[in-house]
């Protein structure tokens, strides 16, 4: 079935921003690039922006005939251009699941007139919804929690004054010159904060971040890569891509407290029997382990190195994220009642990289 509001064709939108520590699963050269990227953010902290924990991500702008369109990234990818909340309902009803999202339709109804007033330029803007509808202050602050992070904004702050005159809030980070266009960093133009509109917040909020080089952490990451890089490359060369991705998923789930299993136990039900035998084996005879003359089992240099490099880059990254977190002003961020936000994003010569304290934000996000 072709919906009447699907009128344009859009190319795929790249939505994943990598964690630097995961680069080791692409080999030692990629891990070295990630370490270099972390060094570049220290040298150029002005490139850092706050990673807001908004939900959902929305792409909005005007069609060639001037109508306001609001979509999620899946609709945008498919060329499903929704020019009213009813279009969203029809789109959802046409999916195989047929699952409707009435709570989201209500939010769209609340912000649609506000975005109509706010969008002045051409093209499409990609951002995250922070709140929908009129907010009322409590104890001198506006509070909203779109996803995992709770935000508290003092009434008298610059953002607080925007909230007072808004019917919703959006943090905008990327721009498309048209449907099917390539995403680029939003330059701050084309959207205007007006009374009764949707408050548009720039990701960095104008904060001039500064960073100190955590010498011990950076040296530890480089040292781990030098010591184990060749061994890790040797191990990864024996592992098919699908299994490598599974092991990366384990590392991610371990740091976010989604599993308490050791890797060799987790792999029993998450990789093929053939790969489990090759990498672990019932008697630890696989390539991830080694035995000495007496039969004592230990991790192979490649496996030990994989963990060492991943952990060292992660520790280096978290140090930078914590430095940046302490400099955020104008908004308070909390995760399960404790100070903390989703993290930060920065631009490198090879693309975007995110700095997220996964043991705090990730654990809260995935274990709600």
């Amino acid at each position: 079935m072709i919906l009447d509001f699907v009128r344009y064709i859009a190319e795929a939108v790249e939505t994943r921003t990598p964690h630097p520590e995961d680069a080791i699963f692409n080999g030692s050269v990629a891990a070295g690039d990630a370490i270099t990227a972390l060094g570049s953010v220290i040298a150029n902290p002005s490139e850092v922006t706050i990673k807001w924990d908004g939900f959902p991500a929305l792409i909005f702008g005007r069609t060639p005939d001037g109508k306001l369109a609001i979509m999620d990234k899946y609709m945008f990818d498919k060329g499903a251009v929704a020019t009213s909340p009813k279009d969203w309902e029809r789109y959802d009803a046409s999916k195989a699941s047929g699952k409707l999202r009435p709570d989201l339709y209500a939010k769209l109804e609340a912000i649609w007139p506000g975005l109509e007033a706010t969008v002045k330029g051409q093209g499409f803007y990609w951002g995250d919804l922070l709140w929908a509808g009129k907010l009322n202050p409590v104890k001198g602050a506006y509070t909203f929690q779109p996803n995992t992070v709770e935000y508290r904004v003092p009434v008298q702050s610059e953002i607080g004054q925007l909230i007072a005159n808004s019917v919703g809030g959006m943090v905008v980070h990327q721009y498309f010159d048209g449907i099917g266009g390539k995403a680029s960093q939003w330059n701050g133009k084309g959207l205007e904060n007006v009374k009764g509109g949707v408050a548009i917040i720039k990701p960095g909020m104008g904060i001039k971040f500064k960073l100190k080089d955590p010498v011990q952490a950076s040296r530890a990451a480089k040292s781990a890569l030098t010591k184990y890089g060749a061994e890790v490359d040797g191990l990864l060369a024996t592992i098919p891509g699908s299994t490598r991705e599974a092991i990366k998923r384990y590392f991610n789930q371990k740091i976010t407290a989604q599993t308490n299993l050791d890797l060799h136990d987790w792999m029993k039900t998450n990789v093929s029997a053939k790969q489990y035998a090759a990498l672990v084996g019932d008697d630890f005879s696989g390539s991830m382990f080694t035995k000495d003359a007496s039969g004592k089992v230990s991790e192979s240099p490649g496996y030990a190195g994989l963990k060492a490099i991943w952990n060292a880059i992660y520790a280096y990254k978290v140090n930078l994220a914590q430095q940046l977190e302490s400099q955020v002003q104008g908004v308070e961020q909390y995760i399960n009642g404790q100070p903390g936000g989703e993290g930060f994003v920065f631009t490198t010569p090879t693309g975007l990289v995110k700095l997220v304290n996964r043991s705090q934000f990730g654990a809260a996000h995935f274990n709600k």
Side-chain angles (χ1 to χ4, degrees):
M1 176 182 179
I2 300 177
L3 301 178
D4 59 1
F5 62 91
V6 179
R7 298 191 293 269
Y8 309 100
I9 301 298
E11 296 177 353
V13 179
E14 179 60 45
T15 62
R16 296 285 183 179
T17 302
H19 297 281
E21 62 273 16
D22 285 345
I24 186 56
F25 289 98
N26 293 322
S28 63
V29 172
D33 289 342
I35 293 172
T36 299
L38 291 175
S40 72
V41 74
I42 296 171
N44 302 284
S46 61
E47 297 293 327
V48 172
T49 57
I50 299 167
K51 194 175 193 305
W52 292 78
D53 186 34
F55 182 82
L58 297 173
I59 297 174
F60 61 95
R62 299 196 182 280
T63 64
D65 55 2
K67 291 183 178 180
L68 178 70
I70 306 175
M71 299 146 283
D72 63 21
K73 62 181 180 294
Y74 303 104
M75 297 166 73
F76 192 80
D77 284 353
K78 295 177 181 178
V81 180
T83 57
S84 73
K86 287 293 183 183
D87 283 344
W88 280 71
E89 294 186 51
R90 289 195 287 270
Y91 172 83
D92 285 347
S94 73
K95 295 186 298 187
S97 68
K99 185 177 180 180
L100 301 180
R101 296 176 282 180
D103 289 348
L104 179 55
Y105 309 147
K107 291 179 181 179
L108 291 170
E109 288 278 6
I111 67 171
W112 209 286
L115 278 180
E116 183 74 60
T118 298
V119 178
K120 305 296 185 181
Q122 301 299 311
F124 287 82
Y125 306 85
W126 192 1
D128 298 304
L129 184 64
L130 297 178
W131 73 89
K134 190 74 174 176
L135 292 182
N136 294 312
V138 176
K139 296 181 179 180
Y142 294 104
T143 300
F144 50 94
Q145 186 172 348
N147 201 9
T148 302
V149 179
E150 178 187 289
Y151 297 94
R152 302 175 192 172
V153 180
V155 171
Q156 298 304 320
S157 68
E158 184 176 348
I159 296 180
Q161 292 175 43
L162 281 179
I163 293 175
N165 294 312
S166 76
V167 295
M170 186 89 67
V171 58
V172 177
H173 41 81
Q174 289 192 295
Y175 172 79
F176 303 87
D177 59 8
I179 296 176
K182 185 177 180 181
S184 60
Q185 188 170 353
W186 179 48
N187 63 7
K189 299 179 179 180
L191 302 174
E192 183 178 325
N193 282 312
V194 297
K195 187 174 182 178
V198 170
I200 301 299
I201 298 173
K202 295 181 179 180
M205 296 198 306
I207 298 172
K208 295 182 179 180
F209 289 107
K210 297 180 180 179
L211 284 168
K212 294 181 179 179
D213 184 3
V215 177
Q216 291 186 336
S218 61
R219 284 179 178 173
K222 295 170 186 175
S223 177
L225 185 62
T226 299
K227 182 177 180 180
Y228 292 109
E231 298 284 1
V232 172
D233 286 340
L235 175 64
L236 293 177
T238 69
I239 303 176
S242 59
T243 303
R244 195 184 299 187
E245 284 298 312
I247 296 173
K248 180 172 74 174
R249 187 168 72 252
Y250 166 81
F251 275 59
N252 293 176
Q253 291 182 356
K254 186 70 171 179
I255 195 65
T256 56
Q258 294 178 79
T259 181
N260 290 319
L261 296 175
D262 290 329
L263 176 57
H264 57 272
D265 290 327
W266 182 89
M267 289 176 66
K268 288 180 180 178
T269 56
N270 286 279
V271 302
S272 68
K274 179 180 179 180
Q275 282 302 304
Y276 179 81
L279 295 171
V280 181
D282 292 333
D283 58 351
F284 295 100
S285 59
S287 59
M288 289 173 54
F289 296 92
T290 186
K291 295 181 181 179
D292 63 16
S294 66
K296 182 180 178 181
V297 176
S298 60
E299 296 173 349
S300 69
Y303 178 30
L306 183 66
K307 294 200 301 183
I309 294 170
W310 193 95
N311 282 317
I313 296 176
Y314 178 76
Y316 183 14
K317 176 196 76 172
V318 168
N319 183 293
L320 301 183
Q322 290 174 337
Q323 287 189 55
L324 294 168
E325 193 73 53
S326 67
Q327 299 173 55
V328 175
Q329 298 178 349
V331 58
E332 298 176 3
Q333 306 175 88
Y334 295 90
I335 298 175
N336 290 336
Q338 299 299 314
E342 182 174 356
F344 303 85
V345 176
F346 67 97
T347 304
T348 75
T350 56
L352 295 174
V353 175
K354 55 189 174 186
L355 306 176
V356 177
N357 186 339
R358 300 165 91 176
S359 63
Q360 184 192 33
F361 172 80
H365 180 75
F366 290 110
N367 295 283
K368 291 181 181 178

